[in-house]
Amino acid sequence: MTGPARFTLPARLLHWSMAVLILAMLPIGAAMVTSLGDYHALVSLHRPLGVLILALALLRLAYRRRHPPPPLPADLPRWQRRAAHASHLALYGLMLALPLVGWAMLSAARYPVALVGPLVLPPILPGNPMLHAGLRVLHTVLAYALAATVLAHLGAALLHGLIRQDGVFASMAPWRPRA
Ligand code: HEM
Ligand code: HEM
């Protein structure tokens, strides 16, 4: 097949499965802290999915070191190239930080980080109510930052796919792009 260089199949599978997980986690988190659903059912889904996101993000970064992404188009303005790199860095940082802060805040609250069945993660911080309160606020702030960065990312993806039509969207598209 000719056409633009694409992310490898494992990179695309990781991108899209993590996108689905993250797009589910933001409203699950929001529903937990409002009266929109059963708090205990939602939080017991939120913890293992969040830890899964942490594990997949680490796997994805390790894979990316061995399989670097395809280059951006040479004619892409410098500020857009910089914005792309900065936003991808922010997305990776937030994919790691949010679950770690979630885990840390429950540890500081001396609350067990139960995943599935008998699987319980050990605490990563000592019990400390002030620390818990600070991390709880940080978890919300980071979740808002992630939502905003994902929205900007979506906008950029649509700009590439619909307006510039420069192969960037096709490089991550789950389907095979037309030549
Ligand atoms: C990418 C991963 C994650 C995302 C996107 C995410 C997102 C959110 C959001 C949007 C909220 C609601 C915040 C608010 O409006 O105040 C929330 C709350 C919460 N998150 Fe996460 N979270 C993630 C990972 C985790 C992990 C791994 C844990 C625990 C191991 C966790 C534990 C919690 C808890 C306990 C609350 C609610 C606390 C309360 O009842 O006040 N989160 N999360
Ligand atoms: C929660 C949702 C999402 C997250 C966290 C996310 C995250 C990322 C990250 C971190 C990259 C950089 C890949 C790398 O260089 O290793 C990326 C690339 C990309 N994503 Fe997403 N993504 C999400 C949703 C979407 C959606 C909905 C679309 C399309 C509508 C999309 C389209 C793309 C495209 C086209 C690229 C390639 C950009 C490039 O080569 O510079 N993403 N995404």
Side-chain angles (χ1 to χ4, degrees):
M1 186 203 72
T2 55
R6 301 177 77 190
F7 280 83
T8 63
L9 181 64
R12 279 179 284 133
L13 281 174
L14 279 164
H15 175 271
W16 289 107
S17 53
M18 290 193 74
V20 169
L21 285 172
I22 290 171
L23 291 175
M25 280 294 275
L26 290 167
I28 290 175
M32 265 157 45
V33 294
T34 56
S35 49
L36 286 173
D38 176 347
Y39 179 83
H40 290 288
L42 289 172
V43 84
S44 49
L45 191 63
H46 191 82
R47 283 187 309 256
L49 288 186
V51 173
L52 179 62
I53 289 172
L54 175 63
L56 289 176
L58 290 171
L59 178 72
R60 187 166 166 189
L61 284 169
Y63 180 84
R64 191 183 195 274
R65 278 175 68 94
R66 285 168 169 267
H67 304 267
L72 287 168
D75 66 344
L76 196 68
R78 202 150 81 141
W79 73 268
Q80 286 188 29
R81 186 177 295 276
R82 286 199 175 148
H85 288 149
S87 59
H88 293 165
L89 195 67
L91 287 169
Y92 279 121
L94 290 165
M95 286 191 270
L96 295 172
L98 253 162
L100 280 174
V101 170
W103 184 356
M105 83 190 182
L106 291 183
S107 306
R110 296 181 201 271
Y111 194 88
V113 185
L115 300 182
V116 278
L119 205 62
V120 181
L121 290 182
I124 48 172
L125 282 182
N128 178 334
M130 287 304 285
L131 202 55
H132 167 253
L135 291 169
R136 176 65 189 83
V137 174
L138 184 61
H139 195 70
T140 302
V141 171
L142 293 181
Y144 275 93
L146 178 61
T149 318
V150 165
L151 277 181
H153 181 69
L154 189 72
L158 294 179
L159 179 80
H160 283 288
L162 300 176
I163 297 173
R164 281 186 55 97
Q165 301 189 359
D166 56 4
V168 170
F169 183 83
S171 73
M172 191 53 103
W175 58 85
R176 189 175 278 275
R178 273 180 289 162

